[in-house]
Amino acid sequence: MTDATPLHIGIVACSAEGAALCYRTICAEAAPLLGAHAHPTVSLHGLSLADYVECLDRGDIAGVGELMLSSARALARAGAQLLICPDNTIHQAMSYVLPRSPLPWLHIAEVVAQEAAARGYRRLGLTGTRWLVESEVYPDKLGALGLEYRRPDAGQRARIGRLIMDELVYGRFEPATVAYFLEVIAGLQAQGCDAVVLGCTEIPLIVDDANSPLPTLDSTRLLARAALRRAIGGAPA
């Protein structure tokens, strides 16, 4: 338990399920550190997911960045001191966002890469939306730490993307969908991966260490925990 006032965390939301999981994780895991029922002040701002999807569909990363910045400014006005975004896909816009942001951010892929390195993993399988898996969001951060990665094939990326956007973001968790994700992860294991990045904030709702063929790196909860540590530790870098 600490007597210092934690930093105010701002969550830039994109999909509801992922943002909710991130928020719940911060609140649930703060009590052992701060005392019974205690957690940092948390504010959440989310524009319509449809606005993000429209930008992604036309490859407008600057447009994605402007949406993120709109939320960032709203959170700054609300008193937030540190920002996180529990959505891997829209981190493609971070190079646009960071120079223009009113507040500092934690980067989800950087947090995951650091955790992977700390656990001694060397080759990670990537899962997430097609937009995310085909981007350099994770390759850039993993490569900086000397970590390898493997992507699902093009057909798998397309099907996973559809399942995420048609089912998971709506809170639909079908047994056949769970089975397909596990099949893809088993394929990544066959390619020599020693862990899998759950690189969509909804995937941890259906895949975890209990059912996955590979150890999981839950990007949503890892980001929430990193934000909690930063908030309790003091002023962000």
Side-chain angles (χ1 to χ4, degrees):
M1 184 171 177
T2 178
D3 295 327
T5 300
L7 297 176
H8 180 161
I9 300 171
I11 298 176
V12 173
C14 185
S15 68
E17 290 290 340
L21 177 59
C22 185
Y23 173 74
R24 289 198 303 271
T25 301
I26 290 170
C27 295
E29 299 194 8
L33 303 171
L34 296 174
H37 311 299
H39 60 75
T41 299
V42 182
S43 295
L44 185 151
H45 187 274
L47 298 171
S48 174
L49 175 58
D51 294 338
Y52 281 104
V53 171
E54 182 179 342
C55 289
L56 290 165
D57 278 341
R58 65 172 184 260
D60 182 7
I61 299 305
V64 171
E66 286 298 332
L67 293 171
M68 296 172 73
L69 285 168
S70 179
S71 285
R73 295 180 188 117
L75 289 165
R77 292 192 295 271
Q81 297 164 282
L82 169 68
L83 298 177
I84 56 174
C85 176
D87 186 283
N88 290 266
T89 295
I90 64 174
H91 274 70
Q92 293 175 76
M94 286 302 280
S95 62
Y96 180 91
V97 168
L98 291 177
R100 299 168 174 83
S101 177
L103 295 170
W105 296 67
L106 294 180
H107 191 295
I108 196 167
E110 189 171 300
V111 168
V112 171
Q114 290 169 350
E115 180 71 12
R119 294 191 197 177
Y121 300 134
R122 302 304 305 163
R123 179 181 293 170
L124 306 182
L126 302 181
T127 62
T129 66
R130 175 180 54 80
W131 298 304
L132 181 277
V133 175
E134 294 179 356
S135 77
E136 297 305 308
V137 170
Y138 274 92
D140 285 348
K141 298 302 182 182
L142 297 176
L145 296 181
L147 302 177
E148 298 180 22
Y149 63 92
R150 294 290 184 270
R151 295 178 168 108
D153 66 35
Q156 292 171 329
R157 294 196 295 268
R159 183 171 175 185
I160 285 173
R162 289 193 299 271
L163 292 171
I164 289 170
M165 299 306 296
D166 293 346
E167 295 182 17
L168 302 191
V169 298
Y170 292 111
R172 287 178 51 205
F173 311 124
E174 304 291 343
T177 296
V178 177
Y180 184 70
F181 273 82
L182 300 183
E183 176 185 323
V184 171
I185 293 169
L188 293 167
Q189 182 182 41
Q191 295 180 54
C193 294
D194 50 10
V196 61
V197 175
L198 306 183
C200 168
T201 46
E202 284 75 34
I203 297 176
L205 300 171
I206 62 169
V207 176
D208 57 25
D209 285 340
N211 65 358
S212 173
L214 286 171
T216 62
L217 291 159
D218 177 343
S219 61
T220 310
R221 290 184 173 93
L222 289 174
L223 179 64
R225 291 164 186 155
L228 182 58
R229 291 193 300 269
R230 181 66 64 85
I232 292 172

